Amino acid sequence: MSTTHKLPWTDALAAELTKLWDKGLSAREIAEALNLPSRNMIIGKAHRLGLPKRQSPIIYMGERKRQALRKLAKGRKEIKREAKQARVRLPTFGTTGSASTCQWIHGEPRERNFCGVQSIAGHSWCAEHYSRVFLPT
């Protein structure tokens, strides 16, 4: 069962809401200014008061803003592409593990980049990684 916030909307509080709404503040900003717990309370009361609807910032965005957002998105794609090209795999890493090679995984486990160096007889790791796993007492 959900709890709802009942607020006695006084005429003064409704007038303050109307004034802030007319200034163009967002419902979240108005809720903070009026010290209310939810922006939905503001939206509901604005609807009941018959205050004018706001234009969607997505639908009615100016052409200059739209172009700026496109440029920003294109720049992000280029950065991602450059980052993918800049990734370097170390030549000593193997992509598959075998019984005679070190099973130490470099990077993310799902990528399965094994060390690939000859392992110590009877163990799963090379000397370097064995020393990291088993610390001296």
Side-chain angles (χ1 to χ4, degrees):
M1 183 173 197
S2 67
T3 59
T4 58
H5 295 282
K6 294 272 185 183
L7 181 73
W9 282 97
T10 63
D11 290 339
L13 195 58
E16 186 67 20
L17 165 65
T18 304
K19 184 176 89 173
L20 295 172
W21 187 270
D22 290 341
K23 282 186 178 180
L25 270 67
S26 69
R28 181 186 55 82
E29 292 169 331
I30 295 171
E32 288 174 1
L34 299 178
N35 199 23
L36 297 176
S38 168
R39 72 181 189 92
N40 290 333
M41 294 174 75
I42 302 299
I43 294 168
K45 187 62 176 178
H47 175 73
R48 289 188 299 279
L49 289 172
L51 298 178
K53 291 184 178 182
R54 303 277 176 86
Q55 292 182 342
S56 169
I58 298 169
I59 297 172
Y60 296 101
M61 187 182 305
E63 185 59 32
R64 290 178 65 193
K65 281 188 178 180
R66 242 184 258 130
Q67 288 174 354
L69 287 176
R70 282 189 202 119
K71 187 176 180 180
L72 180 63
K74 184 179 178 184
R76 286 183 181 161
K77 287 178 184 175
E78 289 174 6
I79 289 171
K80 283 183 180 180
R81 190 176 311 117
E82 289 171 7
K84 284 181 181 177
Q85 292 171 353
R87 288 185 188 159
V88 176
R89 298 256 186 217
L90 297 175
T92 59
F93 294 177
T95 55
T96 60
S98 69
S100 62
T101 60
C102 179
Q103 299 297 305
W104 186 272
I105 298 175
H106 292 278
E108 293 292 321
R110 66 179 166 266
E111 292 178 6
R112 297 299 215 186
N113 291 322
F114 293 95
C115 170
V117 174
Q118 183 66 35
S119 62
I120 300 172
H123 296 284
S124 299
W125 300 287
C126 64
E128 178 189 346
H129 293 127
Y130 185 85
S131 67
R132 287 188 189 177
V133 174
F134 296 101
L135 298 174
T137 57

